[in-house]
Amino acid sequence: MRTRWWAGTALVMPLFLSPVGCAGAAAPIAPAAASLTTVVARCVLTLPDAAAAAAARARLTRQADRYLRGRPGRIVYSAHDLVSGVRLGHGAHEDGLITASGVKVDILMARLARRDRLSESERDLASRMIRRSDNLAADALWWRIGGGTGLSAYYRRIGLAETIPGPTRYWGGTRTSPADRIRLLELLVDGGGGLSAAERGLVLGLMGHVHHDQGWGVSAAARTGDRVALKNGWVPRPSARGTWAVTSYGRVTGPGRDLLLSVQTDLQPGHGQGIQSIEGLARLIGSRLGTLTPTRTGPCAAHPGV
């Protein structure tokens, strides 16, 4: 983006007048100075500062890496701001972490992509599944899309190559990468995935009105007044020494930003520690996002009057 603005400088030019007296006689010359002010415009451009932006992103990446090293378990993330184009991530293509309830958005999208309209009972199931993370509602819709086989076909259709559905009835065992979560969000925001604008609005609307006790996670990246649409997942893992997998992904929008963020964790000592890790990282990214696109000013190259 380039912005032009004009800075004015004043030039003062004296003008001397010689009046003529009555009866044509020459009157004594009494110089009187009048000021004529001319504004000379100077063209100035505001341009992105690529070098400063790269340095700012590198600093934030180092800070995020230091933060993650101080937290328990494994934590990976991916971020994409649709306004500035900024992308950040660590382990963004690691696809061995489970989604837990995060897959419920996928289930709803796959059901909507079948092109037959949702029945009233299915609308109720969808609302309970996303807003309250109701597992029984997810069970019902899981089988209506053909279980893992149907969801796998949908993933191939929309290009989620790093996501594998859970086995048999265990939809919560779906494995994915932060990059694929961002891809899913991009489809919801920008279009694609076989969904109409109204259907995408339905999904994002449900994600924007989750039950208050499930509003934690990537929402920590939001400023006062920003809007958040998210889906979280959490599950204990007895087979992994009793640790937890905790995930959160979603969209944070407001003046100057449209942030898509996915944070996945596993091997967490508990549910609360997983939430703390996600929110600490989200808060860091959200607070620094506005500093990642610095600008510089300079004169226009030529023809300043244009």
Side-chain angles (χ1 to χ4, degrees):
M1 179 181 68
R2 304 195 310 171
T3 304
R4 294 187 181 203
W5 57 275
W6 305 91
T9 58
L11 297 180
V12 179
M13 301 177 61
L15 179 63
F16 296 98
L17 304 178
S18 299
V20 178
C22 295
I29 297 176
S35 296
L36 176 63
T37 301
T38 302
V39 175
V40 178
R42 181 166 56 91
C43 176
V44 179
L45 292 175
T46 299
L47 302 167
D49 191 330
R57 284 193 280 268
R59 284 193 299 271
L60 177 54
T61 298
R62 289 194 298 269
Q63 285 184 312
D65 288 347
R66 284 196 300 270
Y67 173 78
L68 295 180
R69 286 196 296 269
R71 300 298 302 174
R74 180 170 55 157
I75 306 169
V76 293
Y77 75 95
S78 183
H80 181 200
D81 179 43
L82 300 178
V83 174
S84 65
V86 167
R87 289 183 182 270
L88 302 167
H90 171 80
H93 294 283
E94 289 193 24
D95 57 5
L97 286 80
I98 64 173
T99 63
S101 288
V103 75
K104 290 171 180 175
V105 171
D106 311 39
I107 294 171
L108 177 55
M109 292 176 67
R111 171 60 190 88
L112 290 168
R114 287 177 51 184
R115 306 318 311 154
D116 53 316
R117 298 181 61 181
L118 293 181
S119 65
E120 286 301 315
S121 64
E122 286 178 320
R123 283 185 172 274
D124 178 64
L125 289 171
S127 178
R128 286 161 42 203
M129 179 175 67
I130 303 300
R131 296 189 61 206
R132 294 184 173 273
S133 209
D134 186 303
N135 291 339
L136 293 178
D139 288 341
L141 290 174
W142 171 253
W143 295 120
R144 295 188 191 192
I145 65 169
T149 301
L151 191 57
S152 183
Y154 182 64
Y155 287 149
R156 289 194 299 271
R157 176 179 175 183
I158 63 177
L160 265 61
E162 297 173 346
T163 306
I164 301 173
T168 60
R169 63 188 180 90
Y170 298 106
W171 42 260
T174 297
R175 297 179 181 274
T176 191
S177 69
D180 264 10
R181 291 296 93 189
I182 296 299
R183 170 63 177 161
L184 194 78
L185 290 168
E186 289 170 345
L187 292 173
L188 285 172
V189 174
D190 293 331
L195 305 187
S196 68
E199 290 166 336
R200 291 186 285 111
L202 169 65
V203 179
L204 287 170
L206 293 174
M207 294 173 68
H209 291 86
V210 297
H211 197 263
H212 64 86
D213 65 355
Q214 295 178 23
W216 50 265
V218 297
S219 55
R223 304 160 300 183
T224 301
D226 283 351
R227 298 183 301 278
V228 179
L230 57 72
K231 186 70 190 82
N232 298 328
W234 61 99
V235 64
R237 307 199 63 198
S239 61
R241 304 188 301 278
T243 58
W244 284 69
V246 186
T247 69
S248 180
Y249 67 98
R251 180 189 190 192
V252 179
T253 57
R257 72 178 49 177
D258 192 344
L259 175 64
L260 311 181
L261 178 60
S262 174
V263 187
Q264 294 177 245
T265 81
D266 65 4
L267 302 178
Q268 296 297 305
H271 179 222
Q273 287 92 334
I275 292 176
Q276 290 173 6
S277 293
I278 292 170
E279 292 190 337
L281 180 63
R283 194 173 295 112
L284 175 61
I285 293 172
S287 66
R288 295 288 301 281
L289 190 64
T291 70
L292 302 184
T293 52
T295 58
R296 59 182 175 84
T297 59
C300 299
H303 308 297
V306 177

